[in-house]
């Protein structure tokens, strides 16, 4: 879904879908004009998601606030991998923590 111009309204729809999604492993949302408002909507969905391992949001307008809310959501979802996917749990958790750390490093005010 990259470069589709979904903006914050589209991010809200995606966030709602992430709450109930059990299949999507990668989500590419770069170049969609998503701001901190849309990031907050995505974060709501991420907090409930147990399967997503790749989230590409480059070339958006997230800013420090958007990065902060996404980092918090990623840290919250770390460790929620279902027991049926236990062999991937360690890798998934490491990726989520790494992404949260990258967001914190790239946006120092997130700390």
């Amino acid at each position: 879904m990259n470069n589709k111009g979904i903006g914050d309204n589209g991010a809200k729809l995606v966030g709602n879908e992430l709450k109930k999604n059990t299949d999507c492993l990668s989500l590419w949302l770069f170049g969609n004009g998503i701001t901190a408002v849309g990031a907050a909507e995505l974060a709501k969905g991420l907090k409930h998601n147990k399967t997503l391992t790749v989230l590409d949001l480059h070339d958006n307008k997230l800013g420090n606030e958007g990065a902060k809310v996404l980092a918090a959501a990623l840290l919250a979802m770390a460790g929620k991998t279902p027991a049926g996917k236990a062999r991937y749990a360690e890798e998934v958790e490491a990726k989520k923590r790494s992404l949260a750390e990258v967001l914190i490093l790239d946006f120092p005010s997130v700390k």
Side-chain angles (χ1 to χ4, degrees):
M1 291 180 49
N2 48 307
N3 292 312
K4 301 291 184 194
I6 67 168
D8 294 334
N9 289 332
K12 182 176 183 176
L13 295 173
V14 172
N16 286 335
E17 290 300 314
L18 285 173
K19 290 177 185 177
K20 55 189 173 188
N21 179 281
T22 58
D23 298 319
C24 184
L25 299 175
S26 301
L27 184 56
W28 306 90
L29 295 173
F30 62 85
N32 274 299
I34 299 170
T35 69
V37 172
E41 295 297 334
L42 290 171
K44 289 177 187 175
L46 287 171
K47 288 179 183 177
H48 301 280
N49 188 279
K50 298 175 185 170
T51 58
L52 195 69
T53 59
V54 176
L55 176 61
D56 187 337
L57 288 166
H58 80 272
D59 198 24
N60 281 289
K61 301 171 185 174
L62 305 177
N64 288 343
E65 286 304 310
K68 184 177 180 178
V69 72
L70 286 169
L74 290 167
L75 289 172
M77 71 186 278
K80 290 187 178 179
T81 305
K85 297 186 179 185
R87 67 181 183 268
Y88 300 109
E90 188 174 312
E91 180 182 339
V92 169
E93 185 170 332
K95 285 182 180 181
K96 290 173 186 173
R97 290 185 192 278
S98 293
L99 181 53
E101 289 169 9
V102 167
L103 286 169
I104 290 169
L105 291 174
D106 285 347
F107 297 89
S109 66
V110 171
K111 292 179 184 176

